[in-house]
């Protein structure tokens, strides 16, 4: 299996990525991201953990039915109930896969309280059961990089003999280093009987900042599948970033002669979308997809770029889906120009979506002299919908040098306008208090983040909000040239998403049962 130079890309954004605290996605968002992953050429999509919840099961099942070319995988612990549930979710896919796992290190063996022989027996039985259901079975010894060498070889051999077709070696806590990662894969392939007949995979976490390096080293050692996520999303410090390993292989083919099927021109678009739906903004200096990844400010760098772009860029912006230039539109631009620019930026909108963005574009153009690429991307990323039960109609904030600030607000609640005034310690606090006065709730604000979309005093501000209610987490995002307005919209957007989640978990729940009032 190691003779091939093609590396399979296994994306776990919808499973491991979504396990990041606060990164929960809605059903429709999961389907949208899965479609984008499939379209960009991802080989295997780990769509979720079917046994975790009814919502997870439904999402995996729907993604399996809608998949076009990607293998659809579900995760299952090493027990029959998990595996059966996983198979029920993925079986409708053109190419289904069951991924089952168990922790094999001394620390992880203590969790189910199994000795080595008992665990080995369970691995044999559960992998056999999974293979009886599905021809494509992946098995993972969780915390493999801290598992005793002899025992790791033993259980990998058992899994292969039981029918596993892919053996994934996870660095679950981001503990290993590149030289160890390469040696571990190489030695397993060289030592374990039957290893040449299966694909070895690598799954790395970024706790020590080495996930990308460890994944590429594993490929050099013989792995032919990399498990990764968009933007490196994942628990703790995150997972291996898809965009980093894919572009590293593309740019440095001279020393890493391996290929993937990924259409790299679609990277930026899906990166932005995942950032929006997860509420996890991409840091400006993030490799490949960060806002500054292709920005040059110092005079020496700018001079070099003007003479030869390769002086300070090892890849072209166009290779990852950037236009390479930022040409502004204005208030006189029409729909055709807007559609052309959005297509250039990687957005293919339906007519009704374009109309909605066009209205917001015109409104923004009236307030800004120039509307840049980043402004347009912020407009497209706004996730207000006609089904939203809470909508901001108007907001006026009075600020003074002494005393509390006051927010006068009109909000639509289920089609009825409700107005109020509230005060607070600052304009945003007053605004959020106004929302609470109109729509009483117990959701707790976990995150409030503001970032400028472009430069200048008329720049749009993108505001991200994360809220939690009874274990349910939702994020909201909005952009506006007025930071307070953007804050209000993001806050209300997060509340709308919490309402959807509450309705899903509490059938029959009606927002009209919540306390809201005309407070004027």
């Amino acid at each position: 299996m190691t003779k091939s130079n093609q590396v399979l890309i296994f994306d776990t954004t919808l499973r491991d990525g979504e396990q990041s605290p606060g990164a929960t996605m809605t059903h429709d968002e999961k389907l949208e991201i899965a479609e984008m992953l499939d379209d960009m050429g991802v080989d295997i999509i780990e769509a979720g953990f079917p046994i975790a919840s009814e919502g997870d099961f439904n999402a995996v099942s729907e993604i399996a039915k809608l998949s076009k070319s990607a293998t659809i995988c579900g995760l299952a612990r090493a027990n029959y109930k998990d595996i059966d549930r996983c198979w029920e979710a993925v079986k409708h896919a053109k190419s289904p896969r069951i991924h089952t796992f168990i922790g094999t290190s001394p620390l992880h063996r203590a969790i189910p309280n199994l000795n080595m022989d008992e665990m080995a027996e369970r691995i044999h039985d559960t992998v056999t059961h999974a293979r009886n259901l599905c021809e494509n079975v992946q098995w993972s010894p969780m915390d493999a990089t801290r598992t005793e060498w002899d025992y790791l070889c033993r259980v990998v051999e058992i899994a292969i003999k039981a029918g596993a077709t892919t053996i994934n070696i996870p660095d679950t806590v981001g503990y290993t280093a590149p030289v160890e990662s390469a040696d571990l894969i190489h030695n397993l392939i060289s030592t374990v009987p039957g290893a040449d007949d299966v694909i070895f995979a690598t799954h790395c976490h970024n706790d020590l900042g080495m996930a990308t390096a460890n994944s590429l080293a594993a490929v050099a050692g013989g792995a032919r599948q990399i498990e990764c996520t968009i933007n490196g999303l994942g628990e703790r410090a995150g997972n291996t970033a898809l965009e980093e390993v894919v572009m590293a292989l593309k740019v440095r083919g001279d020393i890493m002669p391996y290929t993937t099927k990924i259409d790299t021109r679609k990277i930026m678009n899906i990166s932005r979308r995942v950032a929006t739906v997860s509420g996890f903004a991409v840091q400006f200096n993030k490799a490949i997809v960060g806002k500054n990844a292709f920005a040059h400010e110092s005079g020496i760098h700018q001079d070099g770029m003007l003479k030869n772009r390769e002086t300070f860029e090892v890849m072209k912006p166009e290779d990852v889906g950037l236009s390479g230039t930022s040409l502004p539109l204005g208030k006189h631009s029409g729909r055709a120009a807007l559609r052309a620019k959005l297509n250039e930026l990687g957005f293919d909108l339906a007519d009704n979506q374009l109309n909605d963005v066009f209205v917001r574009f015109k409104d923004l153009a009236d307030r800004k002299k120039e509307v840049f690429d980043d402004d347009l991307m912020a407009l497209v990323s706004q996730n207000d919908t006609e089904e939203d039960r809470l909508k901001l109609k108007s907001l006026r904030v009075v600020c003074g040098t002494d005393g509390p600030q006051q927010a006068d607000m009109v909000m639509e609640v289920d089609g009825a306008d409700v107005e109020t005034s509230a005060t607070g310690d600052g304009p945003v606090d007053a605004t959020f208090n106004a929302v609470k006065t109109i729509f009483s709730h117990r959701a707790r604000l976990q995150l409030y983040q503001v970032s400028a979309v472009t430069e200048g005093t008329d720049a749009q501000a993108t505001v991200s909000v994360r809220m939690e209610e009874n274990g349910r987490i939702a994020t909201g995002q909005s952009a506006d040239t007025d930071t307070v307005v953007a804050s209000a919209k993001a806050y209300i957007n997060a509340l709308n998403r919490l309402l959807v989640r509450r309705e899903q978990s509490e059938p029959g729940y009606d927002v009209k049962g919540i306390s809201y009032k005309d407070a004027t």
Side-chain angles (χ1 to χ4, degrees), residues 111-167:
I111 296 173
N113 195 25
L114 297 174
N115 63 38
M116 288 182 169
D117 291 338
E118 290 169 337
M119 179 166 285
E121 182 179 359
R122 179 176 294 190
I123 291 167
H124 172 271
D125 292 347
T126 53
V127 173
T128 299
H129 182 68
R131 184 57 193 267
N132 286 337
L133 296 172
C134 182
E135 293 184 358
N136 191 339
V137 174
Q138 175 170 314
W139 178 75
S140 294
M142 187 165 63
D143 204 21
T145 55
R146 296 192 297 175
T147 299
E148 305 94 328
W149 168 249
D150 289 343
Y151 190 61
L152 183 61
C153 289
R154 177 186 172 188
V155 292
V156 167
E157 181 180 357
I158 288 171
I160 292 173
K161 288 182 177 179
T165 51
T166 298
I167 300 295

Side-chain angles (χ1 to χ4, degrees), residues 315-332:
M315 56 193 145
K316 298 176 182 178
E318 295 85 353
D319 289 343
V320 297
L322 286 170
S323 60
T325 56
S326 182
L327 300 178
L329 297 176
K331 64 181 180 180
H332 299 297

Side-chain angles (χ1 to χ4, degrees), residues 16-151:
D16 208 342
E18 205 214 7
Q19 287 180 199
S20 301
T24 304
M25 304 175 195
T26 67
H27 179 84
D28 290 342
E29 288 167 349
K30 289 179 181 180
L31 266 56
E32 178 189 0
I33 298 300
E35 183 179 8
M36 295 175 78
L37 292 169
D38 201 354
D39 185 55
M40 78 184 294
V42 165
D43 297 283
I44 306 104
I45 299 172
E46 188 165 53
F49 197 172
I51 197 71
S53 69
E54 195 66 27
D56 245 34
F57 176 86
N58 291 335
V60 175
S61 180
E62 192 69 18
I63 290 168
K65 294 172 184 176
L66 296 174
S67 63
K68 297 176 182 176
S69 57
T71 294
I72 304 302
C73 176
L75 186 68
R77 292 166 298 189
N79 64 66
Y80 292 170
K81 184 177 180 181
D82 272 38
I83 292 169
D84 289 343
R85 188 66 168 164
C86 181
W87 173 241
E88 285 299 314
V90 302
K91 67 181 182 181
H92 298 292
K94 294 179 181 177
S95 175
R97 174 183 292 192
I98 295 173
H99 178 194
T100 184
F101 73 98
I102 195 168
T104 56
S105 70
L107 287 168
H108 284 255
R109 289 198 299 271
I111 296 173
N113 195 25
L114 297 174
N115 63 38
M116 288 182 169
D117 291 338
E118 290 169 337
M119 179 166 285
E121 182 179 359
R122 179 176 294 190
I123 291 167
H124 172 271
D125 292 347
T126 53
V127 173
T128 299
H129 182 68
R131 184 57 193 267
N132 286 337
L133 296 172
C134 182
E135 293 184 358
N136 191 339
V137 174
Q138 175 170 314
W139 178 75
S140 294
M142 187 165 63
D143 204 21
T145 55
R146 296 192 297 175
T147 299
E148 305 94 328
W149 168 249
D150 289 343
Y151 190 61

Side-chain angles (χ1 to χ4, degrees), residues 493-508:
N493 181 255
L495 282 176
N496 276 310
R497 299 179 76 177
L498 275 177
L499 287 175
V500 171
R501 295 212 166 92
R502 186 167 180 178
E503 289 168 347
Q504 291 172 343
S505 60
E506 300 178 24

Side-chain angles (χ1 to χ4, degrees), residues 316-374:
K316 298 176 182 178
E318 295 85 353
D319 289 343
V320 297
L322 286 170
S323 60
T325 56
S326 182
L327 300 178
L329 297 176
K331 64 181 180 180
H332 299 297
S333 302
R335 278 183 175 80
L338 178 62
R339 183 188 288 278
K341 171 56 72 174
L342 291 174
N343 286 341
E344 183 181 311
L345 294 173
F347 298 102
D348 183 16
L349 303 185
D351 289 342
N352 59 330
Q353 293 174 305
L354 179 67
N355 290 337
D356 179 55
V357 173
F358 185 71
V359 171
R360 285 183 275 142
F361 160 70
K362 282 294 190 179
D363 177 63
L364 179 62
D366 282 336
R367 290 179 283 151
K368 286 195 68 177
K369 183 177 179 181
E370 295 176 325
V371 180
F372 292 89
D373 292 357
D374 286 341

Side-chain angles (χ1 to χ4, degrees), residues 265-309:
R265 296 168 300 176
K266 300 181 184 295
I267 285 176
M268 284 302 304
N269 195 23
I270 193 170
S271 168
R272 295 168 184 142
R273 190 61 186 138
V274 168
T276 297
V277 302
S278 67
F280 281 54
V282 177
Q283 67 190 60
F284 280 15
N285 62 335
K286 167 76 171 65
I288 316 301
V289 294
K291 185 176 181 179
N292 291 347
F294 294 94
H296 307 273
E297 185 169 324
S298 78
I300 293 175
H301 282 226
Q302 290 176 345
D303 181 62
M305 285 295 296
L306 290 171
K307 292 174 180 175
N308 184 344
R309 67 192 298 175

